[in-house]
């Protein structure tokens, strides 16, 4: 998704902007550009593709003290140079993240302007220029702009007439202000400024930011606002690879400590923290869970646990569907929104839809201070730290860890789970980091070698294993570009089995002893039609598993802990397979880390 950086200060803005843009690469982009102000004139340099191509176009001796930069992820208009940001019209140059929904209507009132790009964003620069020509009062112009724009935006603005000041504003798209010593920044998120400062402020919707050697924040009535300066606790190193070949691998290896950190508050040495630290959720008759992609898959894991152990009917919705569908949610139910970034447009719109109905909402989010976290009635933060790889791993495991402990907490409060059993389960969670660590160390490369050269793969499982299959399948397809689908194991023979041929890859998951025999029968059905089967199962099922070509046997601990174990081989099979196929693992094509448009 688009990334924004802006700088005013004593250093060379060009270097700061390029460094900031590189830190935003993980958001996904297809072109990049910068604008800098010098002698009351703004110059723009942009390029399609990687930031290194932009860098090659920039004269090494170029110096300026103020500028804005942008990585674009195309929405309106192809990923070509004329559509890349920044856009300049008259005296105004802008970078924009978000979507202007009424840009066609706005173009009609800007009929004196000739537009150079196919974007929705260029109208913003034209609108600013028109308003400024009518009344040369920049703050009032920006305020008027806010009233005219419909949609979402984070904006960085330069005006040729105001050479030392950068303006910014946001509505429903992420934006922070970085606070330095005699230098200040704007950015889509913290990693972009971390090389220079770890102090930042969160910008609220409709606030106007004026940045020069000081920072002034106005509300939409142009009254000055006081803002708390926050300190980012992580180091820049945390946001770098730390010696691993890919961020994805580094993040997979971080999972033992992420699980520990995330659950620490809830799983102390007695039942008190389990019961008291988790919000009171046992009162709800129904829970709905909303998310996109892996967050949705995490919700499916939650459904199995909440229904089985907390005895609460739980429905899981894909946010892009939920936001437009008729939903039947009672006042005495809870809606949970799951998101790593906390900025996913569809999840955020779904939250706002529910808030209008005055129904209780809870966000499970990674990014502190993100929109979802701020707008939901309650928030539980997972403690995954910055996730750079586009394909999520550590945030997903932390999400399912929270859902698992949530089901345990509710089940214990309702006495569906006895205190004695709950204590045993708490204890098993304490062993989890070591179990994950050991499982990460296993050899997945040799399994990947047997499957990487086929272009299709099917994942099968029942119940919880089906939910995990969906995440395993997404991991494989998004980073290795193998066409992959997950099916409930019993559903295959209703059509899909016709696709099974000699050598077709099937990854079967059978970690539920109660129904594993049924899944094994389905495995045998595909095997007898020529499939190449990789089986993931548990050590408490005693079988030779001769019917499988690859076997991964994981320890069975209990239903709460096991989803967090089963996912490890699935992530690493995806990773090793993508590596053998020579894919750009951390930045798969067409994908963005933070999907802030619908
Ligand atoms: C897949 C993946 C995506 C995200 C989805 C939601 O590996 O990362 O499917 O899970 O885009 O993003 P968040 O969690 O930021 O709302």
């Amino acid at each position: 998704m688009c990334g924004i950086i802006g700088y005013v200060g004593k250093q060379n803005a060009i270097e700061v902007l390029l460094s900031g843009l590189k830190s935003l690469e993980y958001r996904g982009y297809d072109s990049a550009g910068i604008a800098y102000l010098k002698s009351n004139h703004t110059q723009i340099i942009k390029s399609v593709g990687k930031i290194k191509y932009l860098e090659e176009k920039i004269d090494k001796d170029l110096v300026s003290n103020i500028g804005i930069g942008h990585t674009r992820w195309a929405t309106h208009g192809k990923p070509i140079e004329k559509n890349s940001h920044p856009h300049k019209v008259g005296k105004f140059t802008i970078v924009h993240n978000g979507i202007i929904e009424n840009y066609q209507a706005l173009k009609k009132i800007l009929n004196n302007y000739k537009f150079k790009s196919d974007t929705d964003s260029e109208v913003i620069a034209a609108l600013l220029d028109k308003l400024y020509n009518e009344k040369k009062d920049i703050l009032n112009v920006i305020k008027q702009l806010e009233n005219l724009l419909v949609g979402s935006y984070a904006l960085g603005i330069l005006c040729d007439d105001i050479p030392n000041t950068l303006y910014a504003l946001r509505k429903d798209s992420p934006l922070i202000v970085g606070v330095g010593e005699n230098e200040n920044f704007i950015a889509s998120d913290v990693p972009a400024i971390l090389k220079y400062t770890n102090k930042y402020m969160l910008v609220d919707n409709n606030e106007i930011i004026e940045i020069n050697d000081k920072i002034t924040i106005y509300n939409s009535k142009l009254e000055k606002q006081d803002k708390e300066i926050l300190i980012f606790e992580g180091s820049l190193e945390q946001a770098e690879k730390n010696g691993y070949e890919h961020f994805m691998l580094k993040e997979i290896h971080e999972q033992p400590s992420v699980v520990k950190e995330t659950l620490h508050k809830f799983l102390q040495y007695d039942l008190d923290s389990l019961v008291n630290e988790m919000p009171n959720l046992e009162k709800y008759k129904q829970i709905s869970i909303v998310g996109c992609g892996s967050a949705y898959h995490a919700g499916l894991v939650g459904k199995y646990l909440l229904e089985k152990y907390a005895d609460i009917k739980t429905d899981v919705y894909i946010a892009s569907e939920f936001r437009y569908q008729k939903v039947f949610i009672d006042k005495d139910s809870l809606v949970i929104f799951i998101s790593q970034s906390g900025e996913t447009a569809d999840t955020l719109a779904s939250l706002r839809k529910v808030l209008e109905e005055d129904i209780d909402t809870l966000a499970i989010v990674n990014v502190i201070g993100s929109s979802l976290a701020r707008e939901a009635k309650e928030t539980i933060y997972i403690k995954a730290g910055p996730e750079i790889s586009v394909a999520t791993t550590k945030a997903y495991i932390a999400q399912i860890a929270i859902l698992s402990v949530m089901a345990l907490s509710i089940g214990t409060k309702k006495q569906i789970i006895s205190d004695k059993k709950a204590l045993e389960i708490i204890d098993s969670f304490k062993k989890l980091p070591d179990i994950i660590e050991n499982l990460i160390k296993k050899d997945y490369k040799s399994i990947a070698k047997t499957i990487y050269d086929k272009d299709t793969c099917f994942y099968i499982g029942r119940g919880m294993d089906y939910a995990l299959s969906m995440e395993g399948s997404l991991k494989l397809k998004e980073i290795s570009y193998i066409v992959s689908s997950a099916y409930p194991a019993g559903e295959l023979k209703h059509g899909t089995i016709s696709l099974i041929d000699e050598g077709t890859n099937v990854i079967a998951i059978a970690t539920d002893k109660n129904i594993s025999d049924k899944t094994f029968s389905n495995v045998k059905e595909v095997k007898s039609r020529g499939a190449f089967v990789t089986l993931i199962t548990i050590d408490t099922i005693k079988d030779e598993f001769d019917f499988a070509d690859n076997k991964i046997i994981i320890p069975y601990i209990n239903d709460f802990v096991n989803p967090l174990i089963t996912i490890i081989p699935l992530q690493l099979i995806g990773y090793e397979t993508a590596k053998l196929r020579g894919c750009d693992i951390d930045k798969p094509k067409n994908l963005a880390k933070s999907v802030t448009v619908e």
Side-chain angles (χ1 to χ4, degrees):
M1 213 52 39
C2 305
I4 288 178
I5 173 84
Y7 176 78
V8 189
K10 297 263 179 293
Q11 300 193 58
N12 185 1
I14 312 296
E15 281 163 25
V16 179
L17 297 177
L18 285 171
S19 152
L21 289 180
K22 283 179 193 160
S23 320
L24 290 168
E25 277 191 292
Y26 72 92
R27 294 170 69 88
Y29 69 105
D30 39 53
S31 58
I34 59 162
Y36 59 96
L37 239 169
K38 229 177 165 177
S39 316
N40 284 68
H41 190 69
T42 311
Q43 298 284 354
I44 295 175
I45 307 168
K46 39 196 187 178
S47 173
V48 172
K50 301 273 178 203
I51 289 165
K52 65 176 181 197
Y53 302 128
L54 173 68
E55 226 169 348
E56 280 163 19
K57 280 184 150 182
I58 299 174
D59 181 350
K60 297 270 173 297
D61 301 326
L62 198 58
V63 177
S64 165
N65 297 110
I66 175 166
I68 48 181
H70 189 265
T71 48
R72 176 172 187 256
W73 190 77
T75 55
H76 291 65
K78 289 190 177 134
I80 50 177
E81 200 165 307
K82 70 169 184 175
N83 292 333
S84 311
H85 297 217
H87 292 288
K88 182 168 192 208
V89 179
K91 289 181 190 296
F92 282 86
T93 307
I94 60 111
V95 286
H96 169 222
N97 175 10
I99 288 180
I100 303 305
E101 286 164 15
N102 61 336
Y103 80 104
Q104 297 284 20
L106 289 172
K107 274 190 174 173
K108 294 206 178 101
I109 60 166
L110 294 164
N111 49 8
N112 287 341
Y113 287 87
K114 215 170 158 342
F115 291 96
K116 295 190 280 276
S117 77
D118 311 317
T119 65
D120 53 334
S121 309
E122 197 182 359
V123 295
I124 303 169
L127 205 48
L128 283 164
D129 191 62
K130 177 179 158 50
L131 297 169
Y132 187 75
N133 285 336
E134 288 163 9
K135 189 180 181 190
K136 293 207 161 21
D137 172 352
I138 184 75
L139 288 174
N140 266 301
V141 163
I142 295 176
K143 184 179 148 188
Q144 272 180 278
L145 175 80
E146 272 185 345
N147 295 336
L148 290 168
L149 296 181
V150 176
S152 58
Y153 47 84
L155 288 171
I157 303 168
L158 293 175
C159 174
D160 286 357
D161 281 356
I162 312 171
N164 300 318
T165 304
L166 163 61
Y167 292 89
L169 67 159
R170 76 168 283 236
K171 182 171 169 277
D172 298 341
S173 286
L175 189 73
I176 57 142
V177 175
V179 184
E181 295 281 328
N182 300 321
E183 60 177 0
N184 293 304
F185 309 76
I186 57 162
S188 298
D189 60 24
V190 176
I193 57 161
L194 220 45
K195 189 168 163 193
Y196 304 97
T197 178
N198 66 349
K199 296 193 189 118
Y200 68 104
M201 295 173 183
L202 295 170
V203 181
D204 282 313
N205 272 349
N206 302 110
E207 284 178 334
I208 298 170
I209 320 294
E210 187 179 64
I211 296 180
N212 31 49
D213 53 355
K214 58 184 194 313
I215 299 165
T216 317
I217 300 187
Y218 302 90
N219 66 12
S220 55
K221 292 186 199 138
L222 298 185
E223 296 158 339
K224 285 189 185 170
Q225 301 294 295
D226 283 333
K227 278 264 155 178
E228 187 190 354
I229 296 181
L230 305 169
I231 312 280
F232 182 76
E233 300 294 352
S235 62
L236 181 61
E237 203 185 291
Q238 228 183 319
E240 288 171 349
K241 281 186 202 151
N242 227 355
Y244 289 99
E245 197 174 342
H246 297 99
F247 280 112
M248 183 177 177
L249 190 62
K250 171 177 168 270
E251 287 158 9
I252 288 173
H253 279 263
E254 283 169 358
Q255 292 182 119
S257 59
V258 164
V259 168
K260 213 176 191 167
E261 276 280 299
T262 299
L263 297 183
H264 175 76
K265 178 172 155 193
F266 305 103
L267 303 179
Q268 302 288 325
Y269 293 95
D270 51 30
L271 287 178
D272 287 353
S273 48
L274 176 70
V275 171
N276 299 332
E277 292 295 337
M278 192 55 78
N280 282 331
L281 307 177
E282 61 282 4
K283 61 181 178 195
Y284 296 109
K285 295 214 168 52
Q286 192 183 337
I287 291 180
S288 300
I289 303 180
V290 184
C292 299
S294 297
Y296 165 74
H297 297 159
L300 293 174
V301 171
K303 172 185 167 74
Y304 284 102
L305 293 170
L306 287 164
E307 291 192 336
K308 189 165 177 189
Y309 293 103
D311 199 27
I312 301 183
K313 177 172 165 29
T314 305
D315 295 313
V316 190
Y317 297 93
I318 291 173
S320 54
E321 291 295 311
F322 180 91
R323 64 181 291 188
Y324 295 115
Q325 84 191 74
K326 182 166 180 181
V327 283
F328 299 87
I329 297 177
D330 294 336
K331 293 274 180 222
D332 55 3
S333 59
L334 170 73
V335 188
I336 299 178
F337 297 85
I338 305 179
S339 174
Q340 187 284 126
S341 61
E343 301 292 350
T344 301
D346 287 317
T347 314
L348 207 47
S350 302
L351 168 68
R352 288 173 185 156
K353 170 174 167 160
V354 174
L355 286 174
E356 274 172 22
E357 303 296 320
D358 198 26
I359 288 167
D360 285 354
T361 54
L362 166 71
I364 300 177
V365 174
N366 189 31
V367 176
I368 295 171
S370 56
S371 303
L372 264 176
R374 285 192 278 165
E375 293 183 32
K377 284 191 188 159
E378 291 232 38
T379 297
I380 297 178
Y381 283 113
I382 57 167
K383 303 264 170 63
E387 194 177 56
I388 306 295
S389 162
V390 166
T392 182
T393 51
K394 61 176 181 169
Y396 169 83
I397 207 169
Q399 289 160 356
I400 59 175
I402 287 288
L403 291 164
S404 176
V405 168
M406 185 181 283
L408 177 63
S409 170
I410 304 172
T412 309
K413 285 187 207 171
K414 286 182 160 179
Q415 282 296 296
I416 299 166
I417 302 165
S418 70
D419 288 359
K420 182 169 172 287
K421 186 79 196 154
L423 280 169
E424 273 171 38
I425 296 167
I426 291 175
D427 209 48
S428 70
F429 267 108
K430 292 191 180 128
K431 295 182 196 130
L432 184 62
D434 285 343
I435 298 172
I436 296 177
E437 190 104 52
N438 288 335
L439 215 52
I440 290 173
K441 283 187 202 142
K442 286 198 171 188
D443 170 25
Y444 300 96
K445 195 171 175 179
S446 55
I447 291 181
K449 276 186 183 156
T450 64
I451 64 170
Y452 83 101
D453 56 348
K454 305 267 170 27
D455 286 329
T456 51
C457 187
F458 294 97
Y459 284 71
I460 58 170
R462 286 168 184 261
M464 172 69 82
D465 290 332
Y466 170 55
L468 293 163
S469 298
M470 290 182 77
E471 178 59 8
S473 171
L474 179 61
K475 285 288 89 76
L476 182 80
K477 75 179 120 188
E478 67 182 327
I479 59 170
S480 75
Y481 314 140
I482 290 177
V483 179
S484 168
S485 297
Y487 280 89
E491 182 64 11
L492 269 194
K493 55 168 86 70
H494 298 285
T496 310
I497 203 161
S498 69
L499 294 171
I500 304 291
D501 265 324
E502 203 55 45
T504 307
N505 274 320
V506 174
I507 298 185
I509 307 168
T511 68
D512 180 348
K513 218 173 168 176
N514 299 317
I515 44 173
S516 55
D517 277 349
K518 308 282 176 201
T519 306
F520 295 153
S521 301
N522 301 128
V523 170
K524 286 168 194 165
E525 283 161 11
V526 293
K527 187 72 207 143
S528 62
R529 286 159 179 82
F532 184 86
V533 175
T534 298
L535 174 70
I536 301 174
T537 188
I538 47 174
D539 56 3
T540 48
I541 300 176
K542 302 288 170 218
D543 194 313
E544 291 303 309
F545 308 116
D546 292 339
F547 50 87
D549 300 286
N550 290 319
K551 291 164 246 184
I552 300 172
I553 317 253
I554 59 171
Y556 178 76
I557 311 296
N558 56 51
D559 287 0
F560 294 90
V561 165
N562 261 78
L564 289 86
I565 299 176
T566 313
I567 194 61
I568 305 296
L570 293 170
Q571 293 171 339
L572 281 156
I573 288 172
Y575 172 80
E576 293 292 354
T577 306
K579 205 169 138 189
L580 288 173
R581 287 167 72 95
C583 299
D584 190 354
I585 292 183
D586 286 330
K587 296 190 201 87
K589 67 173 157 50
N590 306 336
L591 284 179
K593 179 67 185 163
S594 184
V595 186
T596 51
V597 291
E598 64 175 302

